Amino acid sequence: MVKKKVSLVVGVATIAAAGLLTVGYSQKVSSNSADKATLKVATSGTLYPTSYHDSKSKKLTGYDIEVVRAVAKKMGRKVEFKQLNVDGQLTAVKTGKVDMAANDIGISPQRKKSYRLSTPYKHSFNSIIVRKSDSSGINSWDDIKGKKAAGEAGTSYQRLAKQLDAKTVNYNNVSNDVYLRDVKNGRTDFIMNDYYLQKLALKAVPNNDLKIKKNMYFKTKDDGSGTGILMKKDNKKLAKQVNKALASLKKDGTLKDLSEKFYDADVTKKPNVHISKNFTIKD
């Protein structure tokens, strides 16, 4: 596991549904629009270990951040990050205010209709955090009905929770201890998100009295294609350059090294685990 002491914040926003672990730090990185060689990239800056600020240096880092920096280097370009929430990232790409977004973004059929996504640089699956004492009353998928799901509005996880007749409780960039405390004290009942992010969340917060339901690992249509960099639909040239850079980084082992640094696992490969359910999330 990554040995970093960070102040975490859970933001269930995997655009792929975007992610559980987030860092309690909000700061916009300045951009220089006059520099045409600079890639402008939207990210959260609060999604550990994907996009967060190191607790000591305060530097923006994380798996997706370092992948983007490596991609930009291969392309011979500088990179500047703009920190936005999930909806803000999508809007910024669509309107051309940034060139791309990187924040554990799932390559889903729905997203492909509106955006162009790179080849995947991460593969994963999803899990559910519940209380240790009683599993929050959730022992099967039927038990989700009526339970309170913690997450960020508009994410695929909250859409799925609603589809399963759960009551959604939405947050916006609150700290990790708030998310976990609310499940622990019963204000909410569960959090659905990426397994690797959930695992790191529980390890980072001691005495949380929570657990991951091992018999309820799941996937969605988003997961089949992995995580990619999101770009404007008509930007074929940029996508081609990004994909070429990613292919080179995969071949030379950079992606594998970065994934093991931040996830303590090789997330560049499809995981071999038992999946209890495959969901199609309705639009």
Side-chain angles (χ1 to χ4, degrees):
M1 193 59 59
V2 184
K3 296 181 179 178
K4 291 180 181 289
K5 186 178 181 182
V6 295
S7 173
L8 297 175
V9 173
V10 178
V12 182
T14 216
I15 290 183
L20 170 62
L21 294 170
T22 56
V23 182
Y25 190 98
S26 179
Q27 173 184 319
K28 289 185 179 179
V29 181
S30 63
S31 62
N32 181 6
S33 58
D35 187 352
K36 301 300 182 182
T38 299
L39 281 172
K40 296 177 184 177
V41 183
T43 191
S44 68
T46 57
L47 183 62
Y48 179 84
T50 290
S51 170
Y52 68 99
H53 290 267
D54 182 85
S55 60
K56 293 183 179 179
S57 68
K58 307 304 180 185
K59 178 185 177 182
L60 182 65
T61 188
Y63 180 59
D64 282 35
I65 298 301
E66 300 309 328
V67 167
V68 167
R69 286 184 172 134
V71 165
K73 186 176 181 180
K74 288 283 186 183
M75 294 169 61
R77 299 179 68 174
K78 296 178 181 179
V79 60
E80 292 180 353
F81 294 95
K82 184 175 181 64
Q83 291 177 219
L84 300 165
N85 62 20
V86 173
D87 288 339
Q89 292 172 44
L90 296 175
T91 300
V93 171
K94 185 168 285 188
T95 59
K97 290 184 178 179
V98 298
D99 300 298
M100 58 179 70
N103 202 67
D104 204 45
I105 301 172
I107 306 172
S108 67
Q110 180 190 28
R111 195 159 290 117
K112 282 184 174 181
K113 293 177 183 178
S114 302
Y115 302 92
R116 188 169 297 275
L117 287 109
S118 72
T119 52
Y121 53 89
K122 178 194 171 193
H123 294 279
S124 188
F125 58 101
N126 304 301
S127 61
I128 299 177
I129 282 181
V130 295
R131 289 183 287 277
K132 276 184 180 179
S133 59
D134 61 355
S135 294
S136 300
I138 300 171
N139 295 296
S140 70
W141 291 105
D142 290 337
D143 295 332
I144 293 288
K145 184 175 181 179
K147 295 297 190 296
K148 292 166 285 188
E152 184 175 340
T155 64
S156 60
Y157 293 116
Q158 290 298 76
R159 284 163 45 215
L160 176 58
K162 189 174 292 186
Q163 188 174 310
L164 295 172
D165 294 321
K167 299 175 182 177
T168 55
V169 179
N170 296 315
Y171 296 76
N172 184 23
N173 287 334
V174 298
S175 62
N176 182 62
D177 60 336
V178 173
Y179 265 91
L180 300 185
R181 182 192 66 209
D182 282 357
V183 175
K184 179 180 178 180
N185 67 24
R187 181 175 183 265
T188 58
D189 296 308
F190 67 98
I191 307 167
M192 292 197 293
N193 213 277
D194 175 88
Y195 168 78
Y196 295 111
L197 299 182
Q198 303 256 51
K199 183 179 178 181
L200 287 170
L202 295 184
K203 186 169 184 178
V205 180
N207 304 315
N208 52 65
D209 293 328
L210 305 173
K211 66 180 180 180
I212 291 175
K213 284 290 292 181
K214 293 184 178 180
N215 66 323
M216 293 180 68
Y217 294 148
F218 68 97
K219 284 192 174 186
T220 70
K221 289 180 70 175
D222 293 33
D223 304 311
S225 301
T227 295
I229 294 171
L230 182 139
M231 294 160 279
K232 203 170 184 178
K233 182 72 172 179
D234 61 2
N235 206 337
K236 295 181 181 180
K237 181 178 180 181
L238 178 60
K240 184 176 181 180
Q241 294 171 340
V242 168
N243 287 338
K244 182 179 179 181
L246 285 172
S248 178
L249 293 168
K250 185 174 183 178
K251 184 176 181 180
D252 67 20
T254 299
L255 293 183
K256 181 176 183 291
D257 290 344
L258 287 174
S259 73
E260 291 180 338
K261 174 182 178 180
F262 289 101
Y263 287 104
D264 196 28
D266 185 1
V267 299
T268 65
K269 295 180 179 179
K270 293 184 178 181
N272 182 22
V273 295
H274 174 70
I275 303 299
S276 71
K277 197 81 170 178
N278 283 281
F279 291 104
T280 297
I281 301 176
K282 299 175 183 177
D283 295 341

